[in-house]
Amino acid sequence: MRNDHREVNELRKVTIETDYVKHPEGSVLISFGDTKVICNASVEDRVPPFLRGQGKGWITAEYAMLPRATEQRNIRESSKGKVSGRTMEIQRLIGRSLRAVVDLDKIGERTIWVDCDVIQADGGTRTASITGAFVAVVIALGKLVNKKTIKELPITDFLTAISVGVLPDGNEVLDLCYEEDSKAQVDMNVIMTGKGEFVELQGTGEEATFSMEQLQKMLSLAEEGVSDLIKLQEEAIGEWSDVIRTKAEAAK
Amino acid sequence: MRNDHREVNELRKVTIETDYVKHPEGSVLISFGDTKVICNASVEDRVPPFLRGQGKGWITAEYAMLPRATEQRNIRESSKGKVSGRTMEIQRLIGRSLRAVVDLDKIGERTIWVDCDVIQADGGTRTASITGAFVAVVIALGKLVNKKTIKELPITDFLTAISVGVLPDGNEVLDLCYEEDSKAQVDMNVIMTGKGEFVELQGTGEEATFSMEQLQKMLSLAEEGVSDLIKLQEEAIGEWSDVIRTKAEAAK
Amino acid sequence: MRNDHREVNELRKVTIETDYVKHPEGSVLISFGDTKVICNASVEDRVPPFLRGQGKGWITAEYAMLPRATEQRNIRESSKGKVSGRTMEIQRLIGRSLRAVVDLDKIGERTIWVDCDVIQADGGTRTASITGAFVAVVIALGKLVNKKTIKELPITDFLTAISVGVLPDGNEVLDLCYEEDSKAQVDMNVIMTGKGEFVELQGTGEEATFSMEQLQKMLSLAEEGVSDLIKLQEEAIGEWSDVIRTKAEAAK
Amino acid sequence: MRNDHREVNELRKVTIETDYVKHPEGSVLISFGDTKVICNASVEDRVPPFLRGQGKGWITAEYAMLPRATEQRNIRESSKGKVSGRTMEIQRLIGRSLRAVVDLDKIGERTIWVDCDVIQADGGTRTASITGAFVAVVIALGKLVNKKTIKELPITDFLTAISVGVLPDGNEVLDLCYEEDSKAQVDMNVIMTGKGEFVELQGTGEEATFSMEQLQKMLSLAEEGVSDLIKLQEEAIGEWSDVIRTKAEAAK
Amino acid sequence: MRNDHREVNELRKVTIETDYVKHPEGSVLISFGDTKVICNASVEDRVPPFLRGQGKGWITAEYAMLPRATEQRNIRESSKGKVSGRTMEIQRLIGRSLRAVVDLDKIGERTIWVDCDVIQADGGTRTASITGAFVAVVIALGKLVNKKTIKELPITDFLTAISVGVLPDGNEVLDLCYEEDSKAQVDMNVIMTGKGEFVELQGTGEEATFSMEQLQKMLSLAEEGVSDLIKLQEEAIGEWSDVIRTKAEAAK
Amino acid sequence: MRNDHREVNELRKVTIETDYVKHPEGSVLISFGDTKVICNASVEDRVPPFLRGQGKGWITAEYAMLPRATEQRNIRESSKGKVSGRTMEIQRLIGRSLRAVVDLDKIGERTIWVDCDVIQADGGTRTASITGAFVAVVIALGKLVNKKTIKELPITDFLTAISVGVLPDGNEVLDLCYEEDSKAQVDMNVIMTGKGEFVELQGTGEEATFSMEQLQKMLSLAEEGVSDLIKLQEEAIGEWSDVIRTKAEAAK
């Protein structure tokens, strides 16, 4: 039995609230149970130096937690004067994942800055960040289409992330909350497209290992979760869903 | 006429939502119009080195903005690797102000960490932070009283902050929004207790000056605003209001 | 009685020595009793990026103490690798205050760097810095006028700063030395022009508060002190005094 | 055809030289073709603060490249004053992987520092680092056993890492050199034990995705590579191989 | 001919003013012509961690320039967030030199902090710093003797530093001013004791070289300069001179 | 007797291996006994800002040790976030020394980056670095000549460095190993050209002093060592030796 009585393949309650704050081009508050992340997408009309003059764009992400998003207060990274390895890993993962479904050649010399700020943490903050960030980016790029700044929505497929893992009792489960995550033998993050392709796969057995069979079971659970999450993303982005689905189909 | 049709002595709509996130001992979302700040108070069972062994406590504050709290995205201070002068000034001000109404001798060797994180900015973020932080601190300390960790609520009076200023047309106004603030000749922050005493007064005429008469008018507006804000704080903290009022009266 | 037998409205002995070191365009050693600050003004023929191409200039200030300016040796900020919040607050205050009396439109695309280095500290270092920095800036800009680099002295009024406060016995006093300052209930810095207008007003009641009546008394003391300081500035800058007085009069 | 004429399942020439430098308890130079990494294991007789007093040990890793290990010279991270996100990711991965096969309860309150310094880079530096670091750690711990500082070799299984990927032509290949890696659609690092269990799995499709079928093919290639690498590790560590194999068998 | 008409073996006017600022245990303003350095010696009643419990003391030095000590304003090292290589070299040199003539076993577990702050620079700041720092240290340690904190003055000999060099015309000269120094082929700093022994010798031919013969000539000039400087140190430290001379004689 | 039975004027076994790693334009592994340093020279087609547009080049050096190059593991400077004073001193010395024998006017607007990475340390790492770096730079510049990027080898003479010192028994010795160095009364580094001129001379008597007579004896030992090292450099650089000797002769 899971500590919150969920089935092994059951997501926590997931909600996606759009237009959460007013300034960003795309702004989302995503919740996975008690995990809450503000995902803001900002459009900047220039690209980093290594891309200048190539006519294409860039997406980059930053991730942070409020100091008291967690049970114990964490020291603010701005006070420490440096970003932790964990934070860097997560923000590199978010950026890389988004770049897999955005056609950077079609956004002009623009940078999409994605800020994922965790205001309350209960496990799965990085996968919630990616799932919410995708929605914020679609909304931001949709506005560029509506303003005719760019011709068409340059999104090639849905993008969704979910955690799976192996609990101490040996059961594979979907969408671990913090209590489960802190005890899990294996922790795996799966980032997938709407077509069911992998964008990123990161499985870790800290002080433990996992077999091919366990890997297969975890991947099956992830696939189930992903399809539920895509439905929620579709609701959040409304009419843009059809555009994305059509593009994804055409690319098959 | 003010750009949002308010009277010169009229506050924006102010709301205080308590228990905003679940982990902190005190958690508040305060809004002054479109300015929204999460104020979290955390209790740590130790004090900084300079206070150890003295049997008294400490309150310190940190302040930050989400990168896209503003019209233009700001670079994250953790990425820059250092905290700006503006941020330092604000967090020192918040901490100093709270220490004026908390009896540090009565909280034991504990530190109250106050985190003010602006999720949406439209002027007056530092005064909103102080006004909300006071509520978060009362709730956090109230829990210590309820758990009998400390004997009584060590709060000597209400604490409220508000901005006043002089617009380009020469009019003194209360509670400037960002558009007003960015054009104002004079910008003043007034931090006051429930008894109407000053805790802190900071008036600045960047590339301008102000007269004794203007000062007096601004202080009168501030007093009006403060009394409205205290009513909202009273609602937010409920029964603790009477305790604080009684203490403040007794100290007169 | 004050510990050095001064009247409540009596300044310490103030001296202003010009041409203190040879390289800067303006160089001053200012003393307020045992507080001694070297104020150097340097002219650089370019402005920060945010002002380029606008034809106007900029004034910025930096403040530091020698490690043993104080009773206890302080760790050098260059060794710590960062500037403290206190230092940032002070140097922002100095720069802002000077910008209020210098017509930046009339100095061309130049930056005036003001360096205030405290070589001996006994309270009131920030107000001594501002009072001395004004003289250094006038001398530096006067040289630009003499060399016909700029047409006229772009100073709109005198600028002077002084501290006032409330001692533990409840008395308001002018120009607190370190021993007074460290025990004061209220500490206020008043930056004023020759016309008696406020440029900046910063009053703090750390772990205490102050009333409107106390505020008024402190402001009166400050006005007395300011008029004495302006006389000393006039002596230090010689003939430029008339130019400034004339300009200030004309602007009334 | 691969650019160096290897079969898709063929490793580059791999060599492991032990006792490479004289001071470390374990020192290895590992080569995967032109990729050369010095892996040093150092034993320190204390643990980080979070582990003190628990009677168990710790393993941590650091990774760096000489500035000219690569085709273009890289700026030294000590000169930049911070460690890049890529470096952090790699050193966290190396440490985590080693901890999966070392029984930290059996090394006492000691820290094993693993330093992986790439002196020449041609792709696969992180997997070479892990494969070489395992050998260095076994040698260092073996010395502790020989000196009777610890009772038995606390290694639960072999640990080996290899990269696999999908080339632009759609072929899955083993052990990508830099030229292949820089063009690959998918890049996956597989860290495995001698028993064929996964310790860590990191697959990335930067600006691309991969299917379940491709994942399976890559994992098969990885398994082939791993078994070859373990043979080389066995030669390098000599008699300790039997001890590890016996332990790994017993734990099945 | 030298640009200021000195003989090749002639020092600039050197003055040593003691008790320059009031807080430090030893405080000196030393001038070599237009080079002016404040040298403060502070006594701290503890030693760095690597010396604790050994019953002996430590001397360490820090060196800085005011930003406008030079013709062009330099960026403050605290603003840059790091100390330059040049500064580190100089402060290590000052500390090392002083440790050669102070008997650290006789000062107890104390640290002497020496702060050399250049307020005006015209060449030879590091040698002026050492020459002045020696006086400040003697005064500070003399106070410890007078207060009977330590038994006797733990100074084994005088310590003096001077620069010599080779000008573009091939002439060896003593005590180079900035104009000479910036053009010199060879620049050498000689730190010597009262007995004429070398403490430190640093000769540099940036983009040039020097012969054994030139070395000998420079060393002769240095010896002449050193004996003049010792006379000035003797005047500055008064009665302690005899104590030091006696000790130095006894140790021969 | 020396601890490794060498004569006072005897070098340790010195070897110079060229083409040590493949990417740099010049790459050398130099050994002085157990001291081993990788010296890589990289050519970059631009110069630092202060030299742009002058048609001349620059040479700069960086120096580091692997953490476990020494008996005790050192914390990595990239982890500490800053470069130590010792490292800065050494890298400034290497760069300055090389610039004395390279005609920067003849390499065009190029920077030669010299990286000296100590993989095993046993005393004399800075002198080994300079001696090896010279060879790496000649090879790198020789390639530019061979590719006709520059017309002729812009090296004006050989450059070699060696340490000398005074042991506790009062004997002057050549080429101190770590054990000798850590006990030596005097430590001197001598950097010389093939013609026997000094490029740099740095003698230090930490907590000790040395006489003119000792200086002369140390310089004689250094001269002996230098001539042996030049022979090894000649072998390493092959045909370029004649070019350098001819140039050096012509310049006499």
Side-chain angles (χ1 to χ4, degrees), chain A:
Chain A
M1 275 291 285
R2 300 178 74 170
N3 70 318
D4 55 2
H5 309 289
R6 281 186 286 148
E7 298 298 318
V8 295
N9 66 346
E10 191 181 343
L11 290 174
R12 288 175 287 178
K13 180 169 168 52
V14 177
T15 61
I16 301 175
E17 180 182 344
T18 54
D19 296 325
Y20 186 66
V21 294
K22 74 171 184 176
H23 296 300
E25 283 70 29
S27 176
V28 158
L29 176 70
I30 190 163
S31 308
F32 274 65
D34 278 343
T35 289
K36 290 172 197 285
V37 188
I38 302 175
C39 304
N40 288 334
S42 302
V43 179
E44 186 189 27
D45 283 334
R46 58 175 185 174
V47 286
F50 71 90
L51 278 181
R52 276 180 205 149
Q54 299 180 30
K56 61 181 289 196
W58 187 242
I59 293 186
T60 189
E62 291 192 350
Y63 166 97
M65 283 202 193
L66 294 203
R68 198 60 196 285
T70 48
E71 184 58 37
Q72 300 294 317
R73 185 179 183 276
N74 291 299
I75 300 173
R76 220 171 260 272
E77 294 191 331
S78 57
S79 300
K80 282 191 285 193
K82 61 178 177 177
V83 170
S84 73
R86 177 185 176 275
T87 295
M88 284 209 190
E89 246 176 66
I90 295 174
Q91 55 198 22
R92 283 158 56 91
L93 173 64
I94 301 170
R96 223 159 49 218
S97 297
L98 290 166
R99 288 193 295 272
V101 294
V102 177
D103 188 342
L104 298 172
D105 291 326
K106 297 199 177 137
I107 64 170
E109 294 216 347
R110 288 183 185 83
T111 299
I112 312 300
W113 289 87
V114 175
D115 289 292
C116 296
D117 285 89
V118 179
I119 61 175
Q120 191 172 277
D122 187 29
T125 62
R126 80 187 70 188
T127 46
S129 293
I130 292 168
T131 304
F134 174 76
V135 175
V137 168
V138 170
I139 292 171
L141 290 174
K143 283 188 188 159
L144 293 190
V145 176
N146 289 341
K147 288 195 296 178
K148 303 199 191 300
T149 308
I150 57 176
K151 283 195 192 156
E152 50 171 330
L153 192 74
I155 303 281
T156 58
D157 203 346
F158 283 88
L159 177 80
T160 286
I162 192 66
S163 76
V164 285
V166 181
L167 296 186
D169 61 10
N171 279 318
E172 291 81 14
V173 292
L174 178 69
D175 187 21
L176 292 75
C177 68
Y178 178 73
E179 194 182 321
E180 290 175 331
D181 186 69
S182 60
K183 295 175 183 159
Q185 288 174 37
V186 184
D187 181 22
M188 178 169 280
N189 293 298
V190 182
I191 294 100
M192 288 190 104
T193 64
K195 281 199 298 286
E197 300 246 302
F198 297 106
V199 168
E200 189 86 36
L201 194 63
Q202 295 195 336
T204 298
E206 169 104 23
E207 304 184 22
T209 58
F210 55 102
S211 66
M212 182 64 84
E213 194 191 334
Q214 288 175 310
L215 173 63
Q216 305 296 2
K217 283 189 187 159
M218 288 189 284
L219 295 179
S220 298
L221 287 172
E223 282 182 349
E224 287 188 64
V226 160
S227 76
D228 289 346
L229 292 172
I230 288 174
K231 285 187 199 108
L232 291 161
Q233 289 183 327
E234 288 179 329
E235 284 168 31
I237 61 174
E239 54 180 353
W240 294 116
S241 295
D242 296 330
V243 179
I244 297 170
R245 255 193 317 259
T246 307
K247 288 216 176 197
E249 286 300 318
K252 262 187 184 166

Side-chain angles (χ1 to χ4, degrees), chain C residues 1-200:
Chain C
M1 275 291 284
R2 299 178 75 172
N3 70 317
D4 53 3
H5 309 290
R6 281 186 285 148
E7 298 298 318
V8 296
N9 67 345
E10 189 181 346
L11 290 174
R12 289 176 286 178
K13 179 169 167 51
V14 177
T15 61
I16 302 175
E17 179 182 345
T18 53
D19 296 326
Y20 186 66
V21 294
K22 72 171 185 177
H23 296 300
E25 284 70 30
S27 177
V28 158
L29 176 70
I30 190 163
S31 307
F32 274 64
D34 277 344
T35 289
K36 291 171 196 286
V37 188
I38 301 175
C39 304
N40 289 333
S42 302
V43 178
E44 187 189 26
D45 284 333
R46 58 176 185 175
V47 287
F50 71 90
L51 278 181
R52 278 181 204 149
Q54 299 179 31
K56 61 180 290 197
W58 188 242
I59 293 186
T60 189
E62 292 192 349
Y63 165 97
M65 282 203 193
L66 293 202
R68 197 61 195 284
T70 48
E71 183 59 37
Q72 299 295 318
R73 185 180 183 274
N74 292 298
I75 300 174
R76 220 171 261 273
E77 295 191 331
S78 57
S79 300
K80 282 191 283 192
K82 61 178 176 179
V83 170
S84 73
R86 178 184 175 276
T87 294
M88 284 208 191
E89 248 177 64
I90 295 175
Q91 55 198 22
R92 282 159 56 91
L93 174 64
I94 300 170
R96 224 159 49 219
S97 299
L98 290 167
R99 289 193 294 270
V101 294
V102 177
D103 189 341
L104 297 172
D105 291 326
K106 297 199 177 137
I107 64 169
E109 294 215 348
R110 288 184 184 82
T111 298
I112 311 300
W113 288 88
V114 175
D115 289 292
C116 297
D117 285 89
V118 180
I119 61 174
Q120 191 171 278
D122 188 28
T125 62
R126 80 187 70 190
T127 46
S129 293
I130 292 168
T131 304
F134 174 76
V135 175
V137 168
V138 170
I139 291 171
L141 291 174
K143 282 188 190 159
L144 293 189
V145 177
N146 288 341
K147 288 194 297 179
K148 303 199 189 299
T149 307
I150 57 176
K151 281 194 194 157
E152 48 172 331
L153 191 74
I155 303 281
T156 58
D157 202 347
F158 283 89
L159 177 81
T160 284
I162 192 67
S163 76
V164 285
V166 181
L167 295 187
D169 62 10
N171 279 316
E172 292 81 12
V173 292
L174 178 70
D175 187 22
L176 291 76
C177 68
Y178 178 72
E179 194 181 321
E180 290 175 329
D181 187 69
S182 60
K183 295 176 185 159
Q185 288 174 38
V186 184
D187 180 23
M188 178 169 282
N189 294 299
V190 183
I191 294 99
M192 289 190 104
T193 63
K195 283 201 296 285
E197 299 247 300
F198 296 107
V199 170
E200 189 86 35

Side-chain angles (χ1 to χ4, degrees), chain E residues 9-210:
Chain E
N9 65 346
E10 190 181 345
L11 291 174
R12 290 176 285 179
K13 181 170 166 51
V14 177
T15 61
I16 301 175
E17 180 181 344
T18 54
D19 295 325
Y20 186 66
V21 295
K22 73 171 184 176
H23 295 300
E25 283 70 29
S27 177
V28 158
L29 175 69
I30 190 164
S31 307
F32 274 64
D34 277 345
T35 289
K36 288 171 199 286
V37 188
I38 301 176
C39 303
N40 289 333
S42 303
V43 178
E44 187 189 24
D45 283 335
R46 58 175 183 175
V47 287
F50 70 91
L51 278 182
R52 277 180 204 150
Q54 299 178 31
K56 60 181 290 194
W58 188 241
I59 293 186
T60 189
E62 292 192 351
Y63 165 98
M65 283 202 193
L66 294 202
R68 198 60 195 285
T70 48
E71 182 59 38
Q72 300 294 318
R73 185 181 182 276
N74 292 298
I75 300 173
R76 219 171 262 272
E77 294 191 331
S78 57
S79 300
K80 282 191 284 191
K82 61 178 176 179
V83 170
S84 73
R86 177 185 176 276
T87 294
M88 284 208 190
E89 249 176 64
I90 295 175
Q91 55 198 22
R92 283 159 56 90
L93 173 65
I94 300 170
R96 225 161 45 219
S97 298
L98 290 167
R99 289 193 294 271
V101 294
V102 177
D103 188 341
L104 298 171
D105 290 325
K106 297 198 178 139
I107 64 170
E109 295 215 348
R110 288 184 184 83
T111 298
I112 312 301
W113 288 88
V114 175
D115 289 292
C116 297
D117 285 88
V118 180
I119 61 175
Q120 190 172 278
D122 187 29
T125 63
R126 81 187 69 188
T127 46
S129 294
I130 292 168
T131 305
F134 174 76
V135 175
V137 168
V138 170
I139 292 171
L141 290 175
K143 282 188 189 158
L144 292 190
V145 176
N146 288 341
K147 289 194 295 178
K148 303 200 190 299
T149 308
I150 56 176
K151 283 194 194 157
E152 49 172 330
L153 191 74
I155 303 280
T156 58
D157 202 347
F158 283 88
L159 178 80
T160 285
I162 192 67
S163 76
V164 285
V166 182
L167 296 187
D169 61 10
N171 279 316
E172 291 81 13
V173 293
L174 178 69
D175 187 22
L176 291 75
C177 68
Y178 178 71
E179 194 182 322
E180 290 175 331
D181 187 68
S182 61
K183 294 175 186 159
Q185 288 174 35
V186 184
D187 181 21
M188 178 169 282
N189 293 298
V190 182
I191 294 97
M192 288 189 106
T193 63
K195 281 201 296 286
E197 299 247 301
F198 296 107
V199 169
E200 190 84 38
L201 194 63
Q202 295 196 337
T204 298
E206 169 103 25
E207 304 185 23
T209 59
F210 55 104

Side-chain angles (χ1 to χ4, degrees), chain E residues 200-224:
Chain E
E200 190 84 38
L201 194 63
Q202 295 196 337
T204 298
E206 169 103 25
E207 304 185 23
T209 59
F210 55 104
S211 66
M212 182 64 84
E213 194 190 335
Q214 288 175 310
L215 173 62
Q216 305 295 4
K217 283 189 188 161
M218 288 189 283
L219 294 179
S220 298
L221 287 172
E223 283 182 349
E224 287 188 64

Side-chain angles (χ1 to χ4, degrees), chain D residues 20 22 25 34 68 120, chain F residues 20 22 25 68 120:
Chain D
Y20 185 65
K22 74 170 183 176
E25 283 70 30
D34 277 343
R68 197 60 195 285
Q120 190 171 277
Chain F
Y20 186 66
K22 74 171 184 176
E25 282 71 28
R68 198 58 196 285
Q120 191 171 278

